[in-house]
């Protein structure tokens, strides 16, 4: 397994749309394992392939405290959603920035697992927020895009400075 580099906002590659996975083979399983390792090392509770510069519709999520409940979603689709709730979000691609975003409160998601088998899952609370946040990445969307233009400008400025310092 390997820890992959995470793209940092405002990297334009974060705004590209990912393509569906045709076949869940060993290459895909290796990417999934690397993504999980990268997420745990960060540490984070979710990661989309787009964030590690892979334009494939894959996300990994683990919201457990014990970090032993990895959920893998390949070609995830939200098939139903209800309610709406606002909560504070952050993102491994937007370090040290947190802002409130409104999302559906409950969702039902359909995806393929690491064997390529289809499954459905009902999610609410943090898990629902996290899945919606990660699926957004696959559509080239970062949570910052939901904020006001003024806030987006501030975040862009702050992170450009952050990247100059770490370079
Ligand atoms: Ni994110």
């Amino acid at each position: 397994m390997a820890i992959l580099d995470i793209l940092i906002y405002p990297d334009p590659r974060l705004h590209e749309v990912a393509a569906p996975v045709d076949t869940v083979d060993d290459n895909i399983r290796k990417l999934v394992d690397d993504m999980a390792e990268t997420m745990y090392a960060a540490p984070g509770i979710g990661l989309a392939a787009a964030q590690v510069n892979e334009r494939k519709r894959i996300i990994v999520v683990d919201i457990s405290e014990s970090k032993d409940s990895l959920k893998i979603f390949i070609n995830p689709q939200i098939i139903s959603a209800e309610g709406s709730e606002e909560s504070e979000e952050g993102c491994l691609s937007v370090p040290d920035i947190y802002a409130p975003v409104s999302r559906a409160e409950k969702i039902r998601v359909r995806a393929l697992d690491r064997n390529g088998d289809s499954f459905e899952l009902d999610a609410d609370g943090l898990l629902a927020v996290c899945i919606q946040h990660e699926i957004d990445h696959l559509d080239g969307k970062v949570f910052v895009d939901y904020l006001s233009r003024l806030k987006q400008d501030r975040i862009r400025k702050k992170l450009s400075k952050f990247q100059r310092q770490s370079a």
Side-chain angles (χ1 to χ4, degrees):
M1 289 205 281
I3 292 178
L4 308 169
D5 285 334
I6 297 175
L7 300 179
I8 301 296
Y9 181 88
D11 192 311
R13 290 171 290 182
L14 287 168
H15 294 299
E16 290 175 21
V17 177
V21 172
D22 289 331
T23 314
V24 181
D25 56 15
D26 285 346
N27 287 332
I28 294 296
R29 279 186 280 274
K30 180 177 184 324
L31 174 59
V32 165
D33 290 343
D34 289 346
M35 284 172 60
E37 196 182 7
T38 304
M39 172 184 76
Y40 287 126
I45 58 170
L47 188 73
Q51 291 177 273
V52 293
N53 202 22
E54 291 278 354
R55 256 148 301 284
K56 297 185 174 77
R57 301 191 77 85
I58 304 172
I59 66 174
V60 293
V61 172
D62 187 347
I63 60 158
S64 71
E65 295 260 337
S66 45
K67 300 292 165 211
D68 58 0
S69 300
L70 179 64
K71 290 183 167 60
I72 297 159
F73 303 87
I74 299 169
N75 298 341
Q77 272 183 299
I78 294 170
I79 53 175
S80 69
E82 59 179 275
S84 100
E85 202 167 34
E86 195 180 70
S87 62
E88 197 95 330
E89 292 188 23
C91 177
L92 292 176
S93 292
V94 194
D96 297 329
I97 306 282
Y98 300 89
V101 176
S102 187
R103 305 272 186 190
E105 194 179 351
K106 288 182 184 172
I107 57 167
R108 186 169 181 84
V109 58
R110 180 185 294 149
L112 302 178
D113 65 16
R114 63 180 296 129
N115 299 313
D117 294 325
S118 179
F119 68 97
E120 290 184 11
L121 178 89
D122 290 308
D124 59 10
L126 180 58
L127 182 60
V129 169
C130 193
I131 292 170
Q132 290 172 84
H133 174 119
E134 301 310 331
I135 290 178
D136 266 0
H137 277 300
L138 305 181
D139 295 320
K141 208 164 187 185
V142 180
F143 82 98
V144 175
D145 300 338
Y146 291 106
L147 308 179
S148 70
R149 187 49 59 99
L150 182 68
K151 280 185 186 161
Q152 291 186 31
D153 286 345
R154 272 196 209 134
I155 292 169
R156 214 170 284 136
K157 230 177 256 174
K158 195 171 165 189
L159 289 182
S160 316
K161 207 157 97 187
F162 175 92
Q163 278 181 299
R164 275 201 306 275
Q165 281 167 352
S166 58

